[in-house]
Amino acid sequence: MAAKKKQSVSAEQIVDLYSQYVLEHGSKPTSVYSLMQASGFSEADFYQYYASFSALESAYLSELFHHTFDLIHKSADYAQYDAAQKLSSFYFTFIEMTTANRSMVLYLLTEDKNPLHSLEKLKLLRADFLKFVQQILQAPMATESKRLNDVQTKLVHEGAWIQFLSILKYWTDDTSAGFEKTDVFIEKSVQAAFDLVYHSPMKSVVDLGKFLWKEKMTQQ
């Protein structure tokens, strides 16, 4: 006799079911049907919220962004921060969120060796992040050409996304206690990026280079 189906299930419950399965088995479930059936829900319950496991994984990373965004905006000081401080605040808080869920985030970021599939998981997170930096990062040099200003702004925003990915990559490889080296990397990379785009770059760029070189040498 088929198990009696529960009356309702939330998106958060489905994510919890999926996360628990992945963390216990080290791989995703064989099918949506098997995941939901084992918990007394129907396959249709899953599809109320997600079209696939990939869609759920993308939404998981997006939710981390939104939790981070909400947290940094609860700070009474955030509104007074300059752009560099706001970006740093986001990075530090996001890394705290990912660290609290490290096993699951590492699975999502490293499980699939196909770069295209990995990019698909980051699709919603990328859209969220770009919307965020559009609010705080401006073109470095104002001109009379709207087209040139737009190109500059897009380059700055895309550069910030690349920086964000580099921070995530550094964090996935970080073996220091409390991931303290990731904190140092965030501080130095943000400073170097803002100096490179908006100020005199040499001191902070060299400082970042020295840090990365030291890390590389100590790992050999």
Side-chain angles (χ1 to χ4, degrees), residues 6 20 53 59 83 118 126 165 191:
K6 297 177 182 178
Q20 183 177 352
F53 288 146
S118 297
R126 171 180 160 81
L165 291 181
Q191 184 63 55

Side-chain angles (χ1 to χ4, degrees), residues 111-152:
E111 173 264 342
D112 202 321
K113 304 306 179 185
N114 186 324
L116 294 179
H117 292 170
S118 297
L119 288 175
E120 186 66 24
K121 293 180 185 179
L122 295 169
K123 186 175 181 180
L124 291 180
L125 178 60
R126 171 180 160 81
D128 293 330
F129 180 81
L130 290 178
K131 187 179 296 184
F132 165 64
V133 295
Q134 284 167 12
Q135 300 171 10
I136 63 174
L137 300 180
Q138 308 300 323
M141 181 175 61
T143 72
E144 296 181 358
S145 169
K146 181 179 182 303
R147 183 177 180 181
L148 181 56
N149 290 338
D150 290 344
V151 169
Q152 288 186 77

Side-chain angles (χ1 to χ4, degrees), residues 41-57:
F41 297 112
S42 71
E43 186 174 8
D45 290 328
F46 181 96
Y47 293 121
Q48 288 184 78
Y49 304 102
Y50 306 109
S52 63
F53 288 146
S54 294
L56 183 153
E57 292 170 347

